[in-house]
Amino acid sequence: MSGLLKKLPSKLTNKLPAKTSDSTRSPVEKPNSTLKPISNQFTKLLSVTKYLPASARSSILSKAFGKVVPYVGTTGVYYETVEPNQVVVSLNNTKAVQNHIGSIHAVAITLLAETATGFILGLNLPSDRVLLIKSYSVNFYRPIKKGQIAAVASLSDEQRLDILNTPKGEMVIPCVIHDRESDSDRDPIVVKMTWAWIPKSELEARRQGNTSEKPLEADTESKTEVEAEQNDQ
């Protein structure tokens, strides 16, 4: 994430990476917080943009973060809310991310959840540590509508303190997926994202072979049930 501040676009644009729906407010209640943000490259970028209008701020953050993680940037993920206690990202139903029945592809939805949970951990992780996904499961319980999808990741102050005070650890980051065009009360998707973090010095030592421990691996386990997406219920 070195040079994150340099990713800030030199000028604003009227074209947003993704058009937000009429319901741009978080569909999940934001946790109350009394903690101050820690200082890292993510929070420094947030402080630079905090006085901008909401739409301009979201546009800039979406472009900047899209350059930090180029693969994510190619999908059109839009960062609606980026705060230490909550991150909300959304994805429009465009041709590039559709499946065979015209809704957003399961892999794109999984990427959205990974983005929300990864960025909220990144916002709360001291700069001398590195994060990576350890495992995840994504279960689809009903068909997805053809509109916009949003992923909401939230952390309590207690969870944020655990991250700050644990040099090496892992955590299941809570994430909720919202099918914004659906009026169903049934959750379409249940996500479980487990992230890990270790000191950067330990990662570098492992890469150089200066440790007897087993080399660190992301070891991502993807478990998806896509039958619900493929069959109308």
Coordinates of all heavy atoms in Angstrom, one line a residue, residues 162-216:
D162 N -9.2 -4.9 19.5 CA -8.5 -6.2 19.4 C -7.5 -6.3 18.3 O -6.4 -6.8 18.4 CB -9.6 -7.3 19.2 CG -10.3 -7.7 20.5 OD1 -9.9 -7.3 21.6 OD2 -11.4 -8.3 20.4
I163 N -7.9 -5.7 17.1 CA -7.0 -5.6 16.0 C -5.8 -4.8 16.3 O -4.7 -5.2 16.0 CB -7.8 -5.0 14.8 CG1 -8.9 -6.0 14.3 CG2 -6.8 -4.8 13.6 CD1 -9.8 -5.3 13.3
L164 N -6.0 -3.6 16.9 CA -4.9 -2.7 17.3 C -3.9 -3.4 18.2 O -2.7 -3.2 18.1 CB -5.4 -1.4 17.9 CG -4.4 -0.4 18.3 CD1 -3.6 0.1 17.1 CD2 -5.1 0.8 19.0
N165 N -4.4 -4.1 19.2 CA -3.6 -4.6 20.3 C -3.1 -6.1 20.1 O -2.4 -6.6 20.9 CB -4.3 -4.6 21.6 CG -4.7 -3.1 22.0 OD1 -3.9 -2.2 21.8 ND2 -5.8 -3.0 22.6
T166 N -3.4 -6.6 18.9 CA -2.9 -8.0 18.6 C -2.0 -7.9 17.4 O -2.4 -7.8 16.3 CB -4.1 -8.9 18.3 OG1 -5.1 -8.8 19.3 CG2 -3.7 -10.3 18.1
P167 N -0.7 -8.0 17.6 CA 0.3 -7.9 16.5 C 0.1 -9.0 15.5 O 0.4 -8.7 14.3 CB 1.7 -8.1 17.2 CG 1.4 -7.7 18.7 CD 0.0 -8.2 18.9
K168 N -0.3 -10.2 15.8 CA -0.5 -11.3 14.9 C -1.8 -12.0 15.3 O -2.0 -12.5 16.4 CB 0.7 -12.2 15.0 CG 0.6 -13.4 14.0 CD 1.8 -14.3 14.2 CE 1.7 -15.5 13.3 NZ 2.9 -16.4 13.5
G169 N -2.8 -12.0 14.3 CA -4.0 -12.6 14.7 C -4.9 -12.8 13.5 O -4.5 -12.7 12.3
E170 N -6.2 -13.2 13.7 CA -7.1 -13.4 12.7 C -8.5 -13.0 13.2 O -8.7 -13.1 14.5 CB -7.1 -14.8 12.1 CG -7.5 -15.9 13.1 CD -7.5 -17.2 12.5 OE1 -6.4 -17.7 12.0 OE2 -8.5 -17.9 12.4
M171 N -9.5 -12.7 12.3 CA -10.8 -12.3 12.8 C -11.8 -12.6 11.6 O -11.5 -12.3 10.5 CB -10.8 -10.9 13.2 CG -12.2 -10.3 13.6 SD -12.1 -8.6 14.1 CE -11.1 -8.7 15.6
V172 N -13.0 -13.0 12.0 CA -14.1 -13.1 11.1 C -14.7 -11.7 11.0 O -15.2 -11.2 12.0 CB -15.1 -14.1 11.5 CG1 -16.3 -14.0 10.5 CG2 -14.6 -15.5 11.5
I173 N -14.6 -11.0 9.9 CA -15.1 -9.7 9.7 C -16.5 -9.7 9.3 O -16.9 -10.2 8.2 CB -14.3 -8.9 8.7 CG1 -12.8 -8.9 9.0 CG2 -14.7 -7.4 8.6 CD1 -12.3 -8.3 10.2
P174 N -17.4 -9.2 10.1 CA -18.9 -9.2 9.8 C -19.2 -8.5 8.5 O -18.7 -7.4 8.2 CB -19.5 -8.5 11.0 CG -18.6 -8.6 12.1 CD -17.2 -8.6 11.4
C175 N -20.0 -9.1 7.6 CA -20.4 -8.5 6.3 C -21.8 -8.9 6.0 O -22.2 -10.1 6.2 CB -19.4 -9.0 5.2 SG -19.7 -8.2 3.6
V176 N -22.6 -7.9 5.6 CA -23.9 -8.2 5.1 C -24.1 -7.8 3.7 O -23.6 -6.7 3.3 CB -24.9 -7.3 6.0 CG1 -26.3 -7.5 5.5 CG2 -24.8 -7.7 7.5
I177 N -24.7 -8.6 2.9 CA -25.0 -8.3 1.5 C -26.4 -7.9 1.3 O -27.3 -8.5 1.8 CB -24.7 -9.6 0.6 CG1 -23.3 -10.1 0.8 CG2 -25.0 -9.2 -0.9 CD1 -22.2 -9.1 0.3
H178 N -26.6 -6.8 0.6 CA -27.9 -6.3 0.3 C -28.2 -6.3 -1.2 O -27.5 -5.7 -2.0 CB -28.1 -4.9 0.9 CG -28.3 -4.9 2.4 ND1 -29.6 -4.9 3.0 CD2 -27.4 -4.9 3.4 CE1 -29.4 -4.9 4.3 NE2 -28.2 -5.0 4.6
D179 N -29.4 -6.9 -1.5 CA -29.9 -6.9 -2.9 C -30.9 -5.7 -2.9 O -32.0 -5.8 -2.6 CB -30.6 -8.2 -3.1 CG -31.2 -8.4 -4.5 OD1 -30.9 -7.5 -5.3 OD2 -31.8 -9.4 -4.8
R180 N -30.4 -4.6 -3.4 CA -31.1 -3.3 -3.2 C -32.4 -3.2 -4.1 O -33.3 -2.4 -3.7 CB -30.2 -2.1 -3.6 CG -29.2 -1.9 -2.4 CD -28.3 -0.7 -2.7 NE -27.6 -0.3 -1.5 CZ -26.6 0.6 -1.5 NH1 -26.2 1.1 -2.7 NH2 -26.1 1.0 -0.4
E181 N -32.6 -4.0 -5.1 CA -33.8 -3.9 -5.9 C -34.8 -4.9 -5.4 O -35.9 -5.0 -5.9 CB -33.4 -4.2 -7.3 CG -32.4 -3.2 -7.9 CD -32.9 -1.8 -7.9 OE1 -34.1 -1.6 -8.1 OE2 -32.1 -0.9 -7.6
S182 N -34.5 -5.7 -4.4 CA -35.5 -6.7 -3.9 C -36.2 -6.2 -2.7 O -35.6 -5.5 -1.8 CB -34.7 -8.0 -3.6 OG -35.6 -8.9 -3.0
D183 N -37.5 -6.6 -2.5 CA -38.2 -6.2 -1.3 C -38.4 -7.5 -0.4 O -39.2 -7.4 0.5 CB -39.6 -5.7 -1.7 CG -40.4 -6.7 -2.6 OD1 -39.9 -7.8 -2.9 OD2 -41.5 -6.3 -3.0
S184 N -37.6 -8.5 -0.7 CA -37.7 -9.7 0.2 C -37.0 -9.5 1.5 O -36.0 -8.8 1.6 CB -37.0 -10.9 -0.6 OG -37.0 -12.0 0.3
D185 N -37.6 -10.1 2.6 CA -37.0 -10.0 3.9 C -36.0 -11.1 4.1 O -35.3 -11.1 5.1 CB -38.1 -10.2 5.0 CG -39.1 -9.0 5.0 OD1 -38.7 -7.9 4.7 OD2 -40.3 -9.2 5.3
R186 N -35.9 -12.0 3.2 CA -34.9 -13.1 3.3 C -33.6 -12.7 2.8 O -33.4 -12.1 1.7 CB -35.4 -14.3 2.5 CG -34.6 -15.5 2.6 CD -35.2 -16.6 1.7 NE -34.4 -17.9 1.8 CZ -34.6 -18.9 1.0 NH1 -35.4 -18.9 0.1 NH2 -33.8 -20.0 1.2
D187 N -32.5 -12.9 3.6 CA -31.2 -12.5 3.2 C -30.8 -13.3 1.9 O -30.9 -14.6 1.9 CB -30.2 -12.8 4.3 CG -30.3 -11.8 5.4 OD1 -30.8 -10.7 5.2 OD2 -29.8 -12.2 6.5
P188 N -30.3 -12.7 0.9 CA -30.0 -13.4 -0.3 C -28.7 -14.2 -0.2 O -28.5 -15.3 -0.8 CB -29.8 -12.3 -1.4 CG -29.4 -11.1 -0.6 CD -30.1 -11.2 0.7
I189 N -27.8 -13.7 0.6 CA -26.4 -14.3 0.7 C -25.9 -14.2 2.2 O -26.1 -13.1 2.8 CB -25.4 -13.5 -0.2 CG1 -25.9 -13.5 -1.6 CG2 -24.0 -14.2 -0.1 CD1 -25.2 -12.6 -2.6
V190 N -25.3 -15.2 2.6 CA -24.6 -15.2 3.9 C -23.1 -15.4 3.7 O -22.7 -16.3 3.1 CB -25.2 -16.3 4.9 CG1 -24.4 -16.3 6.2 CG2 -26.6 -16.0 5.2
V191 N -22.4 -14.4 4.2 CA -20.9 -14.4 3.9 C -20.1 -14.5 5.2 O -20.5 -14.0 6.3 CB -20.5 -13.0 3.3 CG1 -19.0 -12.9 3.1 CG2 -21.2 -12.8 2.0
K192 N -19.1 -15.3 5.2 CA -18.1 -15.4 6.3 C -16.7 -15.2 5.8 O -16.2 -16.1 5.0 CB -18.3 -16.8 7.0 CG -17.3 -17.0 8.2 CD -17.5 -18.3 8.8 CE -16.6 -18.5 10.0 NZ -16.7 -19.9 10.6
M193 N -16.1 -14.1 6.1 CA -14.8 -13.8 5.6 C -13.8 -13.7 6.8 O -14.0 -13.0 7.7 CB -14.8 -12.4 5.0 CG -15.6 -12.3 3.7 SD -14.5 -12.7 2.3 CE -15.7 -12.8 0.9
T194 N -12.8 -14.6 6.8 CA -11.8 -14.6 7.8 C -10.5 -14.0 7.3 O -9.9 -14.5 6.3 CB -11.6 -16.1 8.3 OG1 -12.8 -16.7 8.7 CG2 -10.5 -16.1 9.4
W195 N -10.1 -13.0 8.0 CA -8.8 -12.3 7.6 C -7.8 -12.5 8.7 O -8.1 -12.7 9.8 CB -9.1 -10.8 7.5 CG -9.8 -10.4 6.2 CD1 -11.2 -10.4 6.0 CD2 -9.2 -10.0 5.0 NE1 -11.5 -10.0 4.7 CE2 -10.3 -9.7 4.1 CE3 -7.9 -9.8 4.5 CZ2 -10.1 -9.3 2.8 CZ3 -7.7 -9.4 3.2 CH2 -8.8 -9.2 2.4
A196 N -6.5 -12.5 8.2 CA -5.4 -12.7 9.1 C -4.5 -11.5 8.9 O -4.5 -10.9 7.9 CB -4.7 -14.0 8.9
W197 N -3.6 -11.3 9.9 CA -2.6 -10.2 9.8 C -1.4 -10.6 10.6 O -1.5 -11.3 11.7 CB -3.1 -8.9 10.3 CG -3.5 -8.8 11.7 CD1 -2.7 -8.4 12.8 CD2 -4.8 -9.1 12.3 NE1 -3.4 -8.4 14.0 CE2 -4.7 -8.8 13.7 CE3 -6.0 -9.5 11.7 CZ2 -5.8 -9.0 14.5 CZ3 -7.1 -9.7 12.6 CH2 -7.0 -9.4 14.0
I198 N -0.2 -10.2 10.2 CA 1.1 -10.5 10.8 C 2.0 -9.3 10.7 O 1.7 -8.4 9.8 CB 1.8 -11.8 10.3 CG1 2.2 -11.5 8.8 CG2 0.9 -13.0 10.4 CD1 3.1 -12.7 8.3
P199 N 3.0 -9.2 11.5 CA 4.0 -8.1 11.3 C 4.6 -8.2 9.9 O 4.9 -9.3 9.5 CB 5.0 -8.3 12.4 CG 4.2 -9.1 13.5 CD 3.3 -10.0 12.7
K200 N 4.9 -7.1 9.3 CA 5.5 -7.1 8.0 C 6.9 -7.7 8.1 O 7.4 -8.4 7.2 CB 5.6 -5.6 7.5 CG 4.3 -5.1 7.0 CD 4.5 -3.7 6.4 CE 3.2 -3.1 5.9 NZ 3.4 -1.7 5.4
S201 N 7.6 -7.5 9.2 CA 8.9 -8.0 9.4 C 8.9 -9.6 9.4 O 9.8 -10.2 8.9 CB 9.5 -7.5 10.7 OG 8.7 -7.9 11.8
E202 N 7.9 -10.2 9.9 CA 7.8 -11.6 9.9 C 7.5 -12.1 8.5 O 8.1 -13.1 8.1 CB 6.6 -12.1 10.9 CG 6.5 -13.6 10.9 CD 5.4 -14.0 11.9 OE1 5.2 -13.3 12.9 OE2 4.8 -15.1 11.7
L203 N 6.7 -11.4 7.8 CA 6.4 -11.8 6.4 C 7.7 -11.8 5.6 O 8.0 -12.7 4.8 CB 5.3 -10.9 5.8 CG 5.0 -11.2 4.3 CD1 4.5 -12.6 4.1 CD2 4.0 -10.2 3.8
E204 N 8.4 -10.7 5.7 CA 9.7 -10.6 5.0 C 10.7 -11.6 5.4 O 11.4 -12.2 4.5 CB 10.3 -9.2 5.2 CG 11.5 -8.9 4.4 CD 11.2 -8.9 2.9 OE1 10.1 -8.6 2.5 OE2 12.2 -9.2 2.2
A205 N 10.7 -12.0 6.7 CA 11.6 -13.1 7.1 C 11.3 -14.4 6.5 O 12.1 -15.2 6.1 CB 11.6 -13.1 8.6
R206 N 10.0 -14.7 6.4 CA 9.5 -15.9 5.8 C 9.8 -16.0 4.3 O 10.2 -17.0 3.8 CB 8.0 -16.1 6.0 CG 7.6 -16.3 7.5 CD 6.1 -16.6 7.6 NE 5.7 -16.7 9.0 CZ 4.5 -17.2 9.4 NH1 3.6 -17.6 8.5 NH2 4.2 -17.3 10.6
R207 N 9.7 -14.8 3.7 CA 10.0 -14.8 2.2 C 11.5 -15.1 2.0 O 11.8 -15.6 0.9 CB 9.6 -13.5 1.6 CG 8.1 -13.3 1.5 CD 7.7 -11.9 1.0 NE 6.3 -11.9 0.6 CZ 5.7 -10.7 0.3 NH1 6.3 -9.6 0.4 NH2 4.4 -10.7 0.0
Q208 N 12.3 -14.6 2.9 CA 13.8 -14.8 2.7 C 14.2 -16.1 3.3 O 15.4 -16.4 3.2 CB 14.5 -13.6 3.4 CG 14.2 -12.3 2.8 CD 14.9 -11.1 3.5 OE1 15.6 -11.4 4.4 NE2 14.7 -9.9 3.0
G209 N 13.3 -16.9 3.9 CA 13.7 -18.2 4.4 C 14.4 -18.1 5.7 O 15.1 -19.1 6.1
N210 N 14.2 -17.0 6.4 CA 14.9 -16.9 7.7 C 14.1 -17.3 8.9 O 14.1 -16.7 10.0 CB 15.3 -15.4 7.9 CG 16.3 -14.9 6.9 OD1 17.1 -15.7 6.3 ND2 16.3 -13.7 6.5
T211 N 13.3 -18.3 8.7 CA 12.4 -18.8 9.8 C 12.2 -20.3 9.5 O 12.2 -20.8 8.4 CB 11.1 -18.1 9.9 OG1 10.3 -18.7 10.9 CG2 10.4 -18.1 8.6
S212 N 12.0 -21.0 10.6 CA 11.7 -22.5 10.5 C 10.2 -22.8 10.3 O 9.8 -23.9 10.1 CB 12.2 -23.2 11.7 OG 11.6 -22.7 12.9
E213 N 9.4 -21.7 10.4 CA 7.9 -21.9 10.3 C 7.5 -22.2 8.9 O 8.2 -21.8 7.9 CB 7.2 -20.6 10.8 CG 7.4 -20.4 12.3 CD 6.5 -19.2 12.8 OE1 5.4 -19.1 12.3 OE2 7.0 -18.4 13.5
K214 N 6.4 -22.8 8.7 CA 5.8 -23.0 7.4 C 5.5 -21.7 6.7 O 5.0 -20.8 7.3 CB 4.5 -23.8 7.6 CG 3.9 -24.2 6.2 CD 2.6 -25.0 6.5 CE 1.9 -25.3 5.1 NZ 0.6 -26.0 5.3
P215 N 5.9 -21.6 5.4 CA 5.7 -20.4 4.7 C 4.2 -20.0 4.7 O 3.3 -20.8 4.7 CB 6.1 -20.7 3.3 CG 7.1 -21.8 3.4 CD 6.6 -22.6 4.6
L216 N 4.0 -18.7 4.9 CA 2.6 -18.1 4.9 C 1.9 -18.3 3.6 O 2.5 -18.0 2.6 CB 2.7 -16.6 5.3 CG 1.4 -15.9 5.5 CD1 0.6 -16.5 6.7 CD2 1.6 -14.4 5.7

